[in-house]
Amino acid sequence: MAKIPTPEELSNISFQPPAKGWMDTKPEFKEGCYCNAASPKWLEWLDYPYPRNWSVRDEDWKLPANWKEILLEGFDERLGRFRTLKLFMDICVRCGACADKCQFFIGSGDPKNMPVLRAELMRSIYRRYFTTAGKVLGKLAGARPLTEDVIKEWYYYLYQCSECRRCSVFCPYGIDMADLTILGRELLSSIGLNIEWTMASVGSCYETVGHIGATPQAYKDMIDFFAEENERVTGVYTNVTYNRKGAEILFIVPSGDYFADPGTFNYMGYLLLFEYLGLDYTISTYAAEGGNFGYFMSHEMGKRLNAKFYEEAKRLGVKWILGGECGHMWRVCNQYMSTWNGPADFLEEPVSPITGTKFENAKNHKMVHISEFTADLIKHGKLKLDPSRNAHIKLTYHDSCNPSRAMGLFEEPRYIIRNVVPEGNFIEMPSNTIREKTFCCGSGSGFNGDEYLEMRFRGGFPRANAVRYVRDKYGVNHLACICAIDRAVFPPLLDYWVPGMDVIGVSEMVGNALVFPNEIERTTDLRDRPLVGCEEAEEEEGGEIE
Amino acid sequence: MNLIDFLREHEAAIVQRWCDLIFGTYAPETVQFLKKVKNRFDNPVAYQTNEGVKGLYKALIYDMETEQLSNYLDEVIRIRAIQDFSPAQAVAFIFLIKNVVREQLREHFKGEVRIDQFSQELFDFDCRIDGLALLGFNVYMNRREKLHKIRLEEVKNKVSGLLRRTGMSIDYH
Ligand code: SF4
Ligand code: SF4
C-alpha cells in the first residue's frame, strides 16, 4: 500500500528548523516569503556594483568571483567605522530579553527571527574572522566559515527585519538589531545583492521626482488636483507655489501622500492647514520625495538621496524645512541628515511664524514635523476646529516605528487627534503595543512589494491583533497613523486580519475639522463620505452612497 | 456515560491538549514561547489559536451552525495559511482531536472501561471530524483566495490617487 503520512506525522514535521543547530539549516525560499532580486537596470543607473540578472530561487546567485574577500574587507572596514557594530558584536550576553519581542518572530514562529539569533547570523562570521577564539575554536566558539549558504541566510533574514528597533527597547544593553541589519544589507549590496522594490524606488528617486518615478509635471498636476478637490469639498481653493525662491518654508512629504489613497487625502489636509494660516511656504519638484529607500540598502545611498533636501533649501533660500507625515524620513532627518549632508548653517532655527514658538529640538537639522507644528498651533488657540466633522471616525492610533522609537514623537499626534475628533472617539490600543513598544506594520524598510505579502502579514499580525481588540471591544473603525508606508500597507494587512477598518492620516482629520470663514456648508469629509447628520442630504443628491 | 457527556465534562483538558499539539507543529523554541507567554497581545498566535480551538470544540459538542464552525476554523487557519505550512499541514491539526479524545478516554478510565464501549459513538465523532476537516479545506482556500485578491488590489492601490486623478479605474477581477 502506498505510504501516506498520518495527520500526526504531517503535523509533527516541524515547519521551521529549531534554533538549536541553526548553523546547519538552510533557508528555503518559498513564494510570498522573499523579496525579489533587483534588476540590473537600477544598479547601472546608480552605479552600484555587480549589476546582473539573478533570481533568489536559483541555486547560483552569480556572485562576483572574489565576493568573500569583498565582504570580509567590508565587514572589517565597518568594524572600524561604526562603534555600534563592534560593540553589538561583542556585548550580547544572550539573556534572551529580546527573543520574543520581534513581530516577525511572533508572527512567523521562526526562531531565526528572534533578534538575538538574527544578530548571531552576522556574529558567527565576526567571530570566525575577527576574533582569536573564533579563529582557533571555530564552531565551539560560535564561529562559522563564510559560505554562499551563509549569504543566502543573511539575505533571507536581514530582509525579515524591518529595522523597527522594537527589540532594542527591551535589551538591557540597548543592542539595536536595526543597526546591524542596515550594515548587513550594506554588505550584501557590496556584492550585488539588492531587492527589487527598494532598488526600483531608489533608482526612480535618483532620476526623477520620487519613488514611483513620476515627472515634476505629474507631481504638480497631482497637487493642483488636490487644490481643486479641496475647493469642491470645502469651497476653499488651496493656493500652492512650486520652487518659489524666497519662501520662508520648504515643505517636503513622502510620495505616498500624493500618489496613493488614503495618503492623498492627507495631502489635502496639509494644503488646507497652510491655506488657513496663509503660510509662506513652497513645494519643490526636486526635493519632492520625503521617503528615502536608499537608507534601506546603504548609508551611502541614504545620504545621496537625502542630499536633495538641503540642496534645495539652499537654492530656494528658505529659512527652514517643514516635513509631512512619514516614518523613516524622520529617522533619517532626525538622526542622520545633519551629519550626512550638514551642517545646515544656511538655514535658521525654525520658528513658527504663527505662534512664535522656537522649535529648539530642530535647532541642529532645521526641520520640523507637521505634527509638532500643528500641535503647537492648537495649543496656542490658532485653529478653529469642529470635531463633529470627524464624528464618523472612531479611531485608534498606531505609533509608527520611526517617529516613535527614533524621535520620541508620542504626544503631539495624540494631542491633535483629541482636538479634532469628538470626545470618546479616540481609543488607545493596549499599552504593550503602543508608544515605544509599538508593533511594526510588518512592511517597513522596503518590504512593501506585493511579492512579499505572506511575510508582511506574519510581521504585521501582532499589530493587527491589537487593532482587532479595539474594534471588537469599542467599535473602532479607523486606524490613524503618521507614516506613508503605514497608509499604504495597513489597508491590505487589516483587510486580511481585521476587515472593515479604514486607515487615515492625522492631517486629513485636521483638514476635515478646520473651519474656514469663507467655506461652503460641509456635508462630506475630504473623501466624500457624508458627515454625521448629512447622510440623507447626500442620498437625495444621488451622492457617493451605493 | 455516553461519549458526549464525557466530551463535555473534559472540555478544558481536551482543548488544552489539542492546543498543545497544534503548538507542537512549530519549532521547539517557538513551542516554549507559545505555551509560556500568556498575554494575548504579546503572543497573538497562541491566543488566537486557543480561542479558535475553544470555540471549535464548543461548536462540536454543543451542535452549532456550520457557519460558526467555519468562523472558528478560520481563526486558526487564517494564521496557518500565511505561515510556512503546506496546505495539508495547515489543516492537519483538525484530525488531531481524534487522538486527543481517545487519549483522554484511556487516561480517564485506566482500563476499567474498555474504549470499545464507545466505538459506535467514536465512529460518529470521527465522521464529524472528517466533515470538519473538509470545511477546513474550504476555509483554507478562502484565505488563500483572499490573499490573492489583496495582492491584486495592492498593485492597483499603489497609484490609486493617480488613477482617481485621471478618472481611470482598473478592474483586475
Ligand atoms: S529591529 Fe525590529 S524587525 Fe528587526 S529584529 Fe528587532 S524587533 Fe525584529
Ligand atoms: S536582550 Fe540584548 S543582551 Fe539580551 S540576548 Fe537580546 S541582544 Fe543579547
Side-chain angles (χ1 to χ4, degrees):
Chain A
M1 258 194 353
K3 165 91 180 97
I4 299 171
T6 64
E8 284 73 19
E9 281 168 338
L10 260 177
S11 299
N12 284 334
I13 300 170
S14 240
F15 79 109
Q16 281 298 345
K20 223 168 113 203
W22 63 271
M23 277 193 195
D24 310 313
T25 52
K26 290 197 225 171
E28 199 187 323
F29 293 97
K30 289 186 192 159
E31 209 69 54
C33 305
Y34 61 86
C35 299
N36 288 339
S39 56
K41 168 175 127 185
W42 310 118
L43 279 76
E44 281 155 11
W45 278 22
L46 297 162
D47 203 15
Y48 254 59
Y50 310 110
R52 65 192 185 281
N53 277 309
W54 67 284
S55 158
V56 175
R57 297 285 278 272
D58 289 347
E59 187 58 34
D60 179 9
W61 282 13
K62 302 181 192 157
L63 299 178
N66 58 340
W67 68 269
K68 209 185 274 189
E69 232 174 276
I70 302 171
L71 198 126
L72 289 173
E73 268 170 27
F75 207 138
D76 195 23
E77 189 235 333
R78 281 167 183 80
L79 282 166
R81 246 172 77 208
F82 297 92
R83 277 187 50 214
T84 41
L85 178 61
K86 179 86 178 74
L87 208 64
F88 293 168
M89 286 292 110
D90 285 329
I91 61 170
C92 170
V93 293
R94 289 204 196 74
C95 67
C98 64
D100 57 2
K101 302 304 187 295
C102 173
Q103 52 276 326
F104 284 90
F105 167 68
I106 298 173
S108 71
D110 179 348
K112 281 196 202 172
N113 273 326
M114 295 175 172
V116 54
L117 261 193
R118 200 191 306 283
E120 208 63 15
L121 301 174
M122 288 172 72
R123 225 174 252 133
S124 54
I125 300 304
Y126 165 74
R127 289 201 196 94
R128 169 66 183 74
Y129 296 94
F130 304 104
T131 68
T132 318
K135 280 181 196 163
V136 179
L137 296 172
K139 208 168 171 179
L140 276 178
R144 63 171 170 173
L146 183 58
T147 62
E148 282 197 38
D149 282 340
V150 169
I151 291 304
K152 289 181 178 172
E153 205 176 27
W154 280 23
Y155 184 92
Y156 192 59
Y157 288 105
L158 294 182
Y159 283 103
Q160 282 180 51
C161 164
S162 59
E163 303 179 350
C164 80
R165 306 178 91 187
R166 187 170 198 266
C167 50
S168 74
V169 172
F170 297 89
C171 173
Y173 299 95
I175 293 179
D176 181 1
M177 186 60 220
D179 258 16
L180 297 180
T181 296
I182 293 168
L183 291 167
R185 288 189 191 176
E186 253 184 42
L187 290 171
L188 289 174
S189 182
S190 74
I191 53 172
L193 300 175
N194 302 281
I195 67 168
E196 174 67 11
W197 187 261
T198 293
M199 268 322 230
S201 304
V202 171
S204 304
C205 189
Y206 195 61
E207 296 281 326
T208 66
V209 162
H211 291 153
I212 76 156
T215 59
Q217 290 80 356
Y219 176 39
K220 176 178 180 299
D221 185 54
M222 259 333 261
I223 311 297
D224 289 345
F225 171 60
F226 297 152
E228 287 161 25
E229 285 288 279
N230 272 336
E231 186 174 24
R232 185 175 62 78
V233 179
T234 69
V236 178
Y237 185 83
T238 45
N239 294 287
V240 189
T241 63
Y242 302 92
N243 308 320
R244 178 165 59 89
K245 287 193 176 167
E248 182 179 358
I249 297 164
L250 169 63
F251 181 55
I252 301 179
V253 295
S255 60
D257 276 2
Y258 49 84
F259 285 126
D261 300 337
T264 47
F265 304 111
N266 214 43
Y267 210 121
M268 288 166 67
Y270 302 141
L271 296 179
L272 283 167
L273 177 69
F274 301 157
E275 183 65 28
Y276 183 94
L277 300 171
L279 199 70
D280 179 14
Y281 78 107
T282 195
I283 292 170
S284 162
T285 53
Y286 170 68
E289 176 60 84
N292 188 334
F293 275 43
Y295 173 66
F296 300 149
M297 53 180 284
S298 70
H299 285 95
E300 189 276 329
M301 200 64 234
K303 175 179 169 172
R304 255 207 258 177
L305 294 185
N306 175 254
K308 286 183 179 183
F309 285 34
Y310 283 159
E311 280 296 321
E312 188 65 339
K314 197 174 200 171
R315 188 179 74 88
L316 298 176
V318 300
K319 289 188 182 157
W320 53 278
I321 307 171
L322 181 62
E325 295 179 18
C326 182
H328 66 282
M329 165 168 103
W330 286 103
R331 171 121 138 240
V332 167
C333 295
N334 222 38
Q335 302 192 337
Y336 296 85
M337 184 162 68
S338 53
T339 32
W340 273 352
N341 293 309
D345 44 15
F346 51 91
L347 294 175
E348 291 176 15
E349 182 178 330
V351 175
S352 168
I354 316 297
T355 65
T357 299
K358 269 192 186 174
F359 293 98
E360 285 170 9
N361 57 320
K363 200 176 192 163
N364 190 264
H365 59 286
K366 318 283 200 304
M367 184 155 172
V368 176
H369 192 290
I370 186 77
S371 290
E372 295 170 330
F373 183 70
T374 310
D376 174 64
L377 290 166
I378 297 176
K379 183 92 188 163
H380 285 86
K382 299 291 182 192
L383 304 181
K384 188 172 178 203
L385 299 164
D386 177 0
S388 74
R389 290 180 187 173
N390 283 314
H392 55 307
I393 297 169
K394 190 153 190 189
L395 76 158
T396 192
Y397 175 70
H398 163 71
D399 290 275
S400 312
C401 302
N402 286 304
S404 52
R405 280 189 285 263
M407 214 186 158
L409 196 72
F410 301 121
E411 300 310 330
E412 289 86 343
R414 288 179 165 82
Y415 180 73
I416 300 170
I417 290 170
R418 288 206 174 87
N419 278 283
V420 297
V421 303
E423 216 180 317
N425 275 33
F426 172 35
I427 312 280
E428 289 274 18
M429 284 181 276
S431 61
N432 44 345
T433 73
I434 56 170
R435 296 180 181 260
E436 67 276 10
K437 291 183 189 148
T438 187
F439 280 118
C440 180
C441 62
S443 301
S445 84
F447 293 172
N448 38 340
D450 54 282
E451 81 265 19
Y452 210 38
L453 219 52
E454 275 89 333
M455 194 57 79
R456 289 165 45 191
F457 284 9
R458 294 174 195 177
F461 179 43
R463 168 42 77 223
N465 172 60
V467 174
R468 180 174 172 184
Y469 173 75
V470 288
R471 181 199 67 178
D472 293 350
K473 189 153 182 203
Y474 303 102
V476 163
N477 54 20
H478 281 71
L479 177 69
C481 56
I482 50 167
C483 167
I485 290 185
D486 282 343
R487 282 190 283 276
V489 303
F490 269 125
L493 180 87
L494 297 178
D495 191 19
Y496 188 82
W497 293 112
V498 203
M501 295 288 297
D502 276 319
V503 177
I504 193 163
V506 171
S507 293
E508 179 184 340
M509 291 184 285
V510 173
N512 283 339
L514 261 184
V515 183
F516 287 79
N518 54 337
E519 66 183 18
I520 53 171
E521 193 201 343
R522 301 270 278 266
T523 53
T524 68
D525 65 6
L526 298 180
R527 299 184 188 188
D528 281 330
R529 298 180 301 184
L531 301 183
V532 171
C534 300
E535 294 89 347
E536 278 180 14
E538 276 293 298
E539 257 170 90
E540 277 162 24
E541 279 170 26
E544 300 288 316
I545 303 173
E546 280 168 19
Chain B
M1 183 187 246
N2 56 25
L3 183 66
I4 193 71
D5 293 332
F6 178 87
L7 294 179
R8 285 177 183 169
E9 221 168 84
H10 295 81
E11 183 176 339
I14 293 174
V15 165
Q16 165 95 46
R17 178 79 183 127
W18 196 6
C19 265
D20 283 352
L21 286 177
I22 298 175
F23 295 158
T25 60
Y26 294 85
E29 295 79 3
T30 311
V31 178
Q32 270 182 22
F33 165 70
L34 291 172
K35 288 188 181 170
K36 194 181 77 196
V37 177
K38 299 290 179 207
N39 183 289
R40 62 186 279 190
F41 303 107
D42 291 335
N43 195 352
V45 171
Y47 175 76
Q48 191 166 315
T49 303
N50 204 287
E51 288 297 296
V53 167
K54 258 199 264 181
L56 203 53
Y57 189 74
K58 267 216 164 35
L60 271 177
I61 56 174
Y62 293 105
D63 283 328
M64 289 190 196
E65 299 295 321
T66 312
E67 197 190 321
Q68 269 169 307
L69 279 173
S70 292
N71 288 344
Y72 289 124
L73 278 170
D74 185 47
E75 292 294 319
V76 184
I77 291 172
R78 196 183 331 176
I79 300 172
R80 299 173 75 82
I82 52 105
Q83 288 180 328
D84 239 342
F85 295 108
S86 68
Q89 286 168 342
V91 295
F93 76 90
I94 299 167
F95 295 105
L96 302 180
I97 184 69
K98 293 185 182 177
N99 270 355
V100 172
V101 168
R102 284 172 173 76
E103 221 179 71
Q104 292 289 324
L105 281 169
R106 253 180 250 120
E107 202 171 291
H108 184 73
F109 293 111
K110 294 213 175 59
E112 293 162 29
V113 183
R114 286 165 47 112
I115 292 190
D116 300 2
Q117 182 191 322
F118 297 106
S119 61
Q120 183 55 44
E121 283 174 285
L122 272 174
F123 179 77
D124 294 343
F125 180 75
D126 286 353
C127 288
R128 300 186 67 207
I129 299 304
D130 294 342
L132 193 66
L134 293 176
L135 280 182
F137 285 117
N138 280 348
V139 171
Y140 179 84
M141 279 317 293
N142 286 342
R143 275 295 155 192
R144 294 301 303 183
E145 267 166 32
K146 174 94 187 167
L147 202 63
H148 181 64
K149 275 196 192 128
I150 291 177
R151 187 168 273 134
L152 289 177
E153 272 298 308
E154 192 181 57
V155 175
K156 183 167 62 174
N157 286 343
K158 291 260 148 72
V159 288
S160 49
L162 262 186
L163 297 177
R164 203 155 50 81
R165 160 88 194 96
T166 55
M168 260 166 72
S169 73
I170 300 178
D171 195 356
Y172 289 94
H173 302 294

